[in-house]
Amino acid sequence: MSTEKSLNFLEEIVKEDVTSGKHGGRLLTRFPPEPNGYLHIGHSKSICLNFGLAQQFGGQTNLRFDDTNPVTEDTEYVDSIMEDIAWLGFKWANVFYASDYFDQLYNFAVKLIEQGLAYVDDSSAEEIAALKGTPTEPGKDSPFRSRSIEENLSLFTRMRNGEFKDGEKVLRAKIDMASPNMHLRDPLMYRIKHAHHHRTGDKWCIYPMYDFAHGQSDAIENITHSICTLEFEVHRPLYEWFIKKLDLYPSRQYEFARLNLNYTVMSKRKLLQLVNEKHVTGWDDPRMPTISGLRRRGYTPESIRAFAEKVGVSRRDNIIDVGLLEFCIREDLNKNSLRAMVVMDPLKLIITNYEEGKTEILKGENNPEDEQSGTRDIPFSRELFIEHEDFKEVAEKKYFRLAPGLMVRLKSAYIIRCDSFVNDESGNIIEVHCTYFPESRSGSDTSGLQAKGVIHWVEANTAIPVEVRLYDRLFGVEDPSSEEGDFKSYLNPHSLDMKSKALGEPSLKKAAVGDKFQFLRKGYFCVDRDSVGGKLIFNRTVPLKDSWAKEQKK
RNA sequence: UGUCCGAUGGUGUAAUGGCAACACUGCAGAUUUUGAUUCUGCCUUUCCAGGUUCGAAUCCUGGUCGGACAACCA
């Protein structure tokens, strides 16, 4: 209806708050990852949302590491997270850590104890769970719930001083064991962990729980809009309870539906398993849905941002078709990548009427979508290699590639006609013989001939050997997590297909790690960092759409 | 037999009481020295039942279905 782009529900809330001057017109969001794994495509939605919203409405965004659990967290993850966010193109106003607030958080806890709103519980984890009730049954009070303020204060101090072992005591908020909201049934605030923290070292042996750290961290930073995923919705009453009892800045939490992609998994726990059990080569394996994996695969920040924009924001569960992600990267790379020719499965082709020993230099368009991109030199001679699948002994209907008697155009070169082919002892085709038409040279074609098909090729003497890694979806089913049994049993055994005998045109020699190309008729590829010792290795980012392959499947 | 949240084409997302639309996918065609790109057309949609209203995808009631919540994880 309207020509204006409609706003998603978060944009509407923020716009309303900013224009009404709710926080003095101020807007501050935050992105709060836990440094216990690498960021994935789902996080990129959250990143684009938090940073994008701030950008759009004149605010800022803090990066805050939610590092309240020293046993799972590591600086390796901190570094990768910062790298990924910067790579995506976003700038944070500040980098903070929840651990920056450990002293304040401790004082908040003391304050609640003094108000009679928190107590030290000697129960074991099992005992606490047993008294917690279930979502449909109320819980029961802990026998330690009515300790005096003085005793709680003393015990909590002793917890901090390291007088107790892990698990011996916890600090709990005193709220309501019968609350229909499980999170309000005297939630844990602090637990004892004699563990080394990646930032605070051995200063602490008690660490705040997420619920006791997150909301207050937002409040300490004066975050105006605390945006997170739907599973934290039931935490919001607790978040607000702490803010109210501690009289802190009233940050408000808003929840949106997390991104799900089909044919992959998105939980850090599962991704970590794939890494640890070597189903992939690492967090940045090009098949991983991690940001570092997508980067190595050849995805651009622009394409991921476009994807985040296209999937939209709402509060209902969703599973996005990975085809949309592929559309976004094709759209970007079609406009922006240089073209080159690479033959994956080489088949020798001899042009019998072409002078032996002669080489001529032809011109190839670098990018037909970009007039400024110019041309490159491509050598041509009597001996070439073409794609094995571009030749057939017997042409079927609608087939317009090479077959005896058929003509095709060699891209950027001449039209040729296939005259014969050579088999080896076992019947494999090892050579194709053709005649070329000298007047059909690309750009100055006066032959009047018409070839329906166009195929790519490389010149035999100048082609460079390259390795090409063809990737397919990591899993064979749309939603591995919802299938019976172990999700790993649904891994796609063909998710990586190595073409180690591929040949590339000589212009590729100067390609550097990360450079992106469209290999004509094949797909988009980028140079992998494994390229060493002069041999180039290319990752296939995504294949070109292939309506011929589709036709053949029918 | 709890609380909270949600339900619009195959997948997502709009429409904010007034003609259900956009993108992706799929199908058909045109163009093409990439069976790519581009362009054109087409298929397909408001969970159900009541109610309010001149008028309901939208508001109300009741159902149905789906999701979240019972870690000393975040």
Side-chain angles (χ1 to χ4, degrees), chain A residues 41 120 156 165 169 172 286 336 353 379 437 497 513:
Chain A
I41 184 76
V120 172
F156 188 49
K165 291 199 278 289
K169 289 184 165 39
R172 292 229 256 170
N336 300 311
N353 63 336
F437 299 91
D497 180 11
V513 172

Side-chain angles (χ1 to χ4, degrees), chain A residues 74-321:
Chain A
D74 196 276
T75 51
E76 174 196 353
Y77 300 125
V78 170
D79 296 341
S80 76
I81 287 167
M82 292 201 280
E83 182 186 0
D84 288 347
I85 297 171
W87 177 78
L88 275 176
F90 296 105
K91 288 187 173 59
W92 46 83
N94 303 98
V95 187
F96 292 130
Y97 294 78
S99 54
D100 294 338
Y101 312 133
F102 280 176
D103 283 296
Q104 287 174 82
L105 259 9
Y106 180 84
N107 292 333
F108 289 155
V110 169
K111 196 171 163 186
L112 288 177
I113 295 172
E114 287 169 347
Q115 292 177 73
L117 294 173
Y119 63 98
V120 172
D121 196 330
D122 299 359
S123 310
S124 67
E126 297 69 34
E127 289 162 341
I128 289 176
L131 290 178
K132 197 120 196 171
T134 70
T136 56
E137 296 162 312
K140 294 190 179 65
D141 287 0
S142 161
F144 301 94
R145 197 173 200 259
S146 50
R147 287 219 252 233
S148 71
I149 290 174
E150 293 66 32
E151 189 183 3
N152 281 320
L153 244 19
S154 154
L155 252 16
F156 188 49
T157 305
R158 293 174 59 196
M159 280 170 65
R160 178 192 184 163
N161 292 343
E163 294 185 31
F164 307 112
K165 291 199 278 289
D166 286 10
E168 216 175 310
K169 289 184 165 39
V170 291
L171 183 71
R172 292 229 256 170
K174 192 190 285 190
I175 307 180
D176 177 9
M177 288 306 291
S179 171
N181 183 334
M182 298 289 290
H183 296 276
L184 262 20
R185 322 242 264 226
D186 290 10
L188 271 59
M189 294 162 56
Y190 267 92
R191 76 291 217 192
I192 299 169
K193 275 180 194 281
H194 291 273
H196 186 83
H197 188 278
H198 72 111
R199 298 196 80 239
T200 60
D202 298 312
K203 178 178 177 185
W204 298 89
C205 62
I206 57 171
Y207 292 93
M209 300 287 292
Y210 166 86
D211 276 329
F212 191 65
H214 195 85
Q216 289 93 302
S217 299
D218 284 342
I220 289 168
E221 292 174 24
N222 290 324
I223 300 297
T224 58
H225 300 259
S226 176
I227 295 160
C228 65
T229 47
L230 241 26
E231 69 266 29
F232 293 102
E233 184 165 33
V234 281
H235 295 240
R236 194 170 69 220
L238 177 57
Y239 182 110
E240 288 171 349
W241 189 87
F242 283 130
I243 282 180
K244 182 156 177 262
K245 299 298 181 191
L246 293 166
D247 193 26
L248 301 175
Y249 183 84
S251 299
R252 165 73 144 96
Q253 174 178 294
Y254 300 91
E255 309 86 12
F256 68 93
R258 71 180 326 139
L259 170 79
N260 297 293
L261 254 196
N262 58 10
Y263 297 103
T264 190
V265 292
M266 210 72 97
S267 94
K268 279 197 266 186
R269 205 193 93 251
K270 293 196 174 86
L271 294 175
L272 180 63
Q273 246 183 89
L274 294 177
V275 172
N276 286 343
E277 297 172 20
K278 313 273 189 215
H279 294 104
V280 294
T281 57
W283 283 100
D284 71 343
D285 185 297
R287 293 165 294 184
M288 291 280 272
T290 50
I291 295 177
S292 51
L294 291 166
R295 175 167 61 234
R296 189 169 169 194
R297 174 87 168 243
Y299 276 79
T300 59
E302 292 76 14
S303 68
I304 292 175
R305 279 189 258 124
F307 175 69
E309 178 64 33
K310 281 186 201 295
V311 298
V313 182
S314 75
R315 287 172 61 83
R316 56 182 121 136
D317 295 336
N318 59 80
I319 301 181
I320 308 291
D321 192 328

Side-chain angles (χ1 to χ4, degrees), chain A residues 431-486:
Chain A
E431 223 171 84
V432 177
H433 291 188
C434 296
T435 319
Y436 89 117
F437 299 91
E439 329 75 52
S440 68
R441 181 172 160 151
S442 189
S444 54
D445 186 347
T446 55
S447 69
L449 295 170
Q450 279 198 327
K452 178 76 174 150
V454 179
I455 64 174
H456 62 283
W457 53 276
V458 293
E459 194 277 323
N461 296 304
T462 52
I464 58 173
V466 300
E467 177 178 311
V468 174
R469 297 175 178 175
L470 305 179
Y471 298 103
D472 197 357
R473 38 192 59 147
L474 230 200
F475 288 89
V477 296
E478 285 207 36
D479 187 3
S481 303
S482 72
E483 298 283 342
E484 297 262 318
D486 186 358

